[in-house]
Amino acid sequence: MTRQLSATEAKKRQIQILYAGFSMIFLSAVAAVGGLYLFRGRFANLMSADYLYEFLVLLSPFLLVYPLSRAALATLRAQKRTFPAVMAQQIGGRGIAFIALLLFIIGGREFDGAIVYWVTGPLFAFIIALYFISKGGLSWNVFDTLPDGKTARKLWSFSWPLAIGSGIFLLLNRVDILMIGYFLPSNEVGYYRAVQPLKKIATFALGSFTFLFLPVATEYYTEGDTAGLDQIFTITTKWILLITLPPVLLFALFSGDIIQILFGDNYLPAAPVLTILSTGLLFRALSGLDGDMVKAIDRPQIELFSGALGLSSNIILNYVLIPVFEISGAAVATVVGYIVYNGTELIWIYHLTGASPFSVNIAKHLGVMSVLAVLVSRIVPSPIGLVDLICVGISLTLFQPVVLILTSSVDEADIDLVEQLETRMGRNLGIIKRIARKGL
């Protein structure tokens, strides 16, 4: 919905997209709720858990309100309205749900509170998002709007590859755990699962840029501005790297100390896994928002094809490497799977548009920062404590602007971004601009 809404400025066309999107989501959600209700007994028997018979009914409204809330937030995303989106999802939806949970806990009804939390969060996010949509000049009445078959077919043809691709991506995130459990003892699964959430450090910055990237990139593509599309792809990748690089280098070079601080000596066998995942998944950050790019250029099938290749390579390498290298082999297989997945998307994007997330300035900055981080890891005595680790992380962060200037890795687009911040904040950032221009 975000992509299709961003590709047109005609209000009637946007209303048709809203109608088609919400209608398909509502009908599929109702079918999911009905199926869960009818087959709840079989699910309970399959999982050998009789309590699921009741719990699935209580949680089933989530299957209805959650996708509707995501559709409403997708509409705000297409309108580039970050504040209403945060108000709807984080402050309104989750805030109200959290307050309700606390009240139920205080009343001694923790289980009921958990059910209310999961259902009311997306429900209030949906209601608040609809309010902002209507106030933004894109209100419509479903009773006055006739369905447009052409719009629905286009939305469906764009969405189904992404739906399957999302399922493949979910497997790509989980297949390593499944195969470790098949080949190795349960304690190895425990080591791997302990550090697996920490690999998100390599990709956490992607979410900060993805909200606005897709609608903006879609506009560039529909206007035929390939130069602008290339520039926004490269500059967002650069800023994602600037945010991601210090913690990734810290996790990769001080993995043993981090494991020791967070989990204790017993989990030290997982340190090589953290190093491999942190370093290897840096390619995810370097790939930029390639997933949003394939949506922006109206090629969702690329997501499906790339995901299938990445998952296949991951499974094959897990099968080959885990018996030999144990959990480190699973980490390598995961990294290679992501490289195949993202690399395939990048090749297609470049072939179709000439856009690339890479640049000489990104390469210079990455190379110098990596060398500096290695030198710091050699100088700092090991093991180090939490305070020293935080100091090293702050030092690596402070190195970045210095390295950008000394290696002349600043772009004109970086200056433009500072000027936009200057306008929004209403403050004079002339000093920062003068310093940054020295690195052009």
Side-chain angles (χ1 to χ4, degrees):
M1 289 178 67
T2 299
R3 198 276 170 195
Q4 301 300 331
L5 287 168
S6 302
T8 179
E9 294 182 358
K11 293 295 183 182
K12 290 184 178 180
R13 171 71 176 157
Q14 290 179 343
I15 290 173
Q16 283 291 340
I17 293 169
L18 286 181
Y19 185 91
F22 277 105
S23 297
M24 287 191 288
I25 288 170
F26 179 77
L27 292 174
S28 60
V30 169
V33 171
L36 189 66
Y37 181 82
L38 292 175
F39 296 101
R40 65 192 187 284
R42 293 189 180 183
F43 284 127
N45 293 332
L46 183 65
M47 302 299 293
S48 300
D50 293 337
Y51 58 84
L52 286 179
Y53 187 84
E54 177 186 357
F55 288 2
L56 290 176
V57 175
L58 295 175
L59 278 170
S60 60
F62 176 82
L63 293 179
L64 177 64
V65 295
Y66 179 75
L68 289 173
S69 71
R70 299 304 300 175
L73 291 168
T75 306
L76 292 175
R77 183 183 180 190
Q79 297 173 338
K80 308 186 195 69
R81 301 172 68 190
T82 54
F83 178 76
V86 172
M87 287 293 298
Q89 184 176 18
Q90 306 296 340
I91 299 175
R94 291 180 180 174
I96 294 173
F98 184 71
I99 293 171
L101 174 61
L102 286 179
L103 292 175
F104 273 90
I105 291 175
I106 293 171
R109 300 173 61 184
E110 296 86 354
F111 173 77
D112 294 335
I115 298 293
V116 170
Y117 173 84
W118 282 104
V119 174
T120 57
L123 174 62
F124 280 102
F126 175 59
I127 294 171
I128 296 170
L130 283 185
Y131 168 79
F132 283 117
I133 292 170
S134 64
K135 290 296 182 181
L138 196 60
S139 58
W140 88 105
N141 189 333
V142 294
F143 299 106
D144 294 337
T145 307
L146 295 175
D148 178 22
K150 183 178 179 180
T151 302
R153 285 192 296 271
K154 183 173 178 59
L155 196 59
W156 170 252
S157 64
F158 185 87
S159 300
W160 74 260
L162 298 178
I164 299 176
S166 297
I168 291 174
F169 188 76
L170 183 65
L171 286 175
L172 190 60
N173 279 319
R174 298 289 184 269
V175 71
D176 46 1
I177 288 290
L178 296 174
M179 296 193 74
I180 290 172
Y182 178 77
F183 284 108
L184 302 177
S186 58
N187 63 310
E188 298 291 329
V189 177
Y191 293 145
Y192 196 90
R193 283 187 66 89
V195 302
Q196 194 184 34
L198 299 179
K199 73 181 183 182
K200 294 181 179 179
I201 199 71
T203 56
F204 78 96
L206 293 174
S208 304
F209 291 86
T210 187
F211 187 89
L212 287 178
F213 180 84
L214 177 56
V216 173
T218 299
E219 290 175 3
Y220 278 123
Y221 180 74
T222 52
E223 293 169 2
D225 187 357
T226 54
L229 186 65
D230 184 29
Q231 184 184 53
I232 190 177
F233 194 21
T234 304
I235 203 64
T236 52
T237 302
K238 182 180 181 179
W239 280 90
I240 288 169
L241 179 68
L242 291 176
I243 297 171
T244 306
L245 191 56
V248 166
L249 292 174
L250 191 71
F251 274 55
L253 295 172
F254 296 90
S255 58
D257 300 295
I258 291 172
I259 293 294
Q260 207 166 20
I261 292 169
L262 294 178
F263 307 111
D265 294 339
N266 292 335
Y267 281 84
L268 282 176
V273 173
L274 182 56
T275 298
I276 294 169
L277 290 176
S278 299
T279 307
L281 291 180
L282 183 61
F283 184 77
R284 284 265 299 148
L286 284 171
S287 301
L289 299 168
D290 52 321
D292 283 329
M293 272 292 284
V294 298
K295 299 182 185 77
I297 65 175
D298 202 14
R299 296 294 191 280
Q301 295 84 357
I302 296 175
E303 183 90 353
L304 175 57
F305 177 74
S306 302
L309 281 182
L311 179 62
S312 300
S313 62
N314 192 356
I315 293 173
I316 294 170
L317 286 174
N318 270 309
Y319 185 82
V320 173
L321 296 179
I322 289 177
V324 180
F325 301 103
E326 299 183 338
I327 55 176
S328 294
V332 172
T334 297
V335 168
V336 173
Y338 279 114
I339 290 175
V340 172
Y341 166 55
N342 294 119
T344 304
E345 286 194 336
L346 291 178
I347 291 171
W348 273 104
I349 291 168
Y350 184 78
H351 173 72
L352 293 170
T353 67
S356 169
F358 308 120
S359 69
V360 174
N361 285 342
I362 289 176
K364 287 190 297 182
H365 181 77
L366 176 61
V368 174
M369 280 297 299
S370 299
V371 171
L372 281 175
V374 171
L375 290 176
V376 169
S377 69
R378 294 291 183 266
I379 295 171
V380 176
S382 184
I384 63 175
L386 178 60
V387 175
D388 294 329
L389 201 63
I390 293 173
C391 290
V392 172
I394 293 173
S395 300
L396 291 175
T397 303
L398 295 176
F399 280 153
Q400 293 221 95
V402 178
V403 171
L404 279 171
I405 293 171
L406 292 179
T407 59
S408 300
S409 299
V410 179
D411 297 286
E412 284 289 354
D414 297 322
I415 307 296
D416 294 339
L417 184 61
V418 175
E419 290 176 346
Q420 291 178 26
L421 287 174
E422 186 179 50
T423 303
R424 288 203 171 195
M425 294 170 62
R427 294 186 178 183
N428 186 0
L429 302 177
I431 296 176
I432 296 176
K433 287 190 291 184
R434 285 195 295 272
I435 295 173
R437 287 189 185 281
K438 294 181 179 180
L440 283 171

